[in-house]
Amino acid sequence: MSEELPTPSGGRPHTSSAGSATPNFVPDASSKKSPPSRKLAEAPIFQKRNWMLYHHYVRQHYQDCWDLIKMMKEETKGLSWYGQYVEGLLHRVDGKIQNSLEAFRKASILEPKNADTKKQIGISLFLLGRHQLALDAYDIAQQLDGRDWEIRHNKGMCYVYLQEPGKAREEFLKAMQYNQPLATFKQLGALYEDQNELDSAKELYERGLTIYPHTSGMLTSLGLLYLKGGNMAMAFEKLGTAVMFGGKMSEAAIAVGSIMQMYGDIDPALNKYSSVASFAPESPHLWNNIGMCYYSQSSWVTAIACLKRANYLAPLEWKINYNLGLVHLVMQQDTTAFHFLKAAVHLNYRNARTYMLLAIALTRLNENDHAEKCYEKCLKYSDSVHLAYLNYATMLARQEKNEPAKEQLN
């Protein structure tokens, strides 16, 4: 969402008072070669105030902005469009989104044909979570300025939150017809990934990197897509480049560590993670990976400590709950393992391996009937978990159900 401030220029004054048009240039106070413009010197006082307000805002002198807006309201009796517009931006900077919406609506009354004002109304409504109303505001802005890529992009974001991915994709693609903004590349790529259109996402990221070659976020996303596809060489190349541009605190560094961990290089992976931890100590994925590194080294207590920190940072991440259940099972803390695995099932009920571990925990707790149901669900969601057949057969054999046990082994 944009905080861009339009310069006080154009064919209309930024007030409802009478007067000539504002100047079509930004005066350069540092220039000594060109004499001061007579046009600016002879401009009405409200136009001079507009330029002063513009310069204070872009320099982030917000208190000076408030003082000047107060003065402008007194001089124009509250009829300064530009002052009202900047007031809306200042309220948004302070986090007062409702106040910013009211300010932009007042500005829209003063300048009903101004597309920027309608767009800012849409942004404030979006930040308030009123996505349908934001769409209505963007539609009006689009009628006033049909070639503004940002309006299309923001409409796409509204459709994302309204869970209408088809319309969101359409708006993002239209935005890219007018411009090639980095934000649209990222959002459209994420949308392709959510829809499991991985080839389209790869093609988009590759095209985006020809325009923004040093963008660590896009390199990371592309590297992770190659990692999902099993192309380790390309994944390592893209992620390594992302680390070079993004530094140690980038998500790519965690992904590089995970590749090392996948190939059994635990100590190099831990070194990579430790370098990231000082920059991103509140990353749940980082602590999850560190915990599983210690798990692979049979340091159970340290693994649980790291995983519990990850769980504290992201309690609704099913993989962290799954890993905690796994480690507790290894330590034969079956009741605790059951609670974490049950939480993992609630967060992701389609993962077959979670049901298998939950069945093992229930078997140890002598809940054979419930364990049998968990094995059935495991095999329902995936018939390729071969250990599930073996464990299920073993449990049935211990209950002297030999025929069903043989069926599982076959």
Side-chain angles (χ1 to χ4, degrees), residues 186-403:
K186 290 182 178 179
Q187 293 297 335
L188 183 56
L191 187 64
Y192 281 142
E193 290 186 52
D194 290 340
Q195 299 298 307
N196 204 30
E197 299 180 27
L198 303 186
D199 291 336
S200 298
K202 284 180 187 177
E203 182 181 347
L204 181 73
Y205 289 140
E206 292 283 9
R207 181 156 60 95
L209 288 170
T210 62
I211 305 172
Y212 305 99
H214 299 160
T215 307
S216 61
M218 210 180 306
L219 283 164
T220 302
S221 298
L222 184 57
L224 292 175
L225 285 176
Y226 280 120
L227 186 61
K228 287 180 182 178
N231 191 338
M232 296 299 174
M234 287 298 295
F236 206 82
E237 177 188 338
K238 297 299 181 182
L239 293 170
T241 308
V243 171
M244 181 175 65
F245 291 125
K248 293 180 179 179
M249 58 186 300
S250 67
E251 183 185 354
I254 301 177
V256 170
S258 69
I259 294 177
M260 296 175 180
Q261 186 176 350
M262 191 183 304
Y263 280 97
D265 297 329
I266 303 302
D267 290 332
L270 282 172
N271 290 334
K272 178 66 70 175
Y273 294 143
S274 63
S275 67
V276 179
S278 57
F279 295 96
E282 296 185 356
S283 169
H285 302 101
L286 173 65
W287 289 107
N288 175 72
N289 290 4
I290 292 174
M292 296 315 292
C293 280
Y294 285 116
Y295 167 79
S296 63
Q297 293 179 336
S298 301
S299 300
W300 317 124
V301 176
T302 308
I304 287 177
C306 294
L307 288 169
K308 284 195 172 180
R309 180 163 184 174
N311 185 247
Y312 172 79
L313 295 169
L316 299 181
E317 178 58 62
W318 74 270
K319 289 183 180 179
I320 297 173
N321 284 282
Y322 173 93
N323 291 336
L324 275 166
L326 173 63
V327 179
H328 281 294
L329 268 183
V330 172
M331 295 185 69
Q332 298 185 355
Q333 297 175 351
D334 303 318
T335 304
T336 307
F338 167 77
H339 287 297
F340 282 117
L341 292 168
K342 184 179 178 182
V345 165
H346 282 301
L347 294 169
N348 182 9
Y349 67 92
R350 291 185 178 276
N351 185 269
R353 291 182 177 276
T354 310
Y355 286 106
M356 183 185 73
L357 294 184
L358 188 58
I360 293 171
L362 288 167
T363 303
R364 292 180 179 178
L365 294 170
N366 295 321
E367 295 285 345
N368 294 322
D369 291 339
H370 292 97
E372 191 169 339
K373 292 179 182 178
C374 286
Y375 279 125
E376 292 293 341
K377 283 196 172 183
C378 171
L379 299 174
K380 172 186 174 182
Y381 288 118
S382 176
D383 56 1
S384 61
V385 184
H386 304 299
L387 279 176
Y389 290 103
L390 179 60
N391 290 332
Y392 193 9
T394 302
M395 186 197 75
L396 292 172
R398 286 176 178 173
Q399 299 178 55
E400 298 183 356
K401 298 179 180 179
N402 297 324
E403 291 302 322

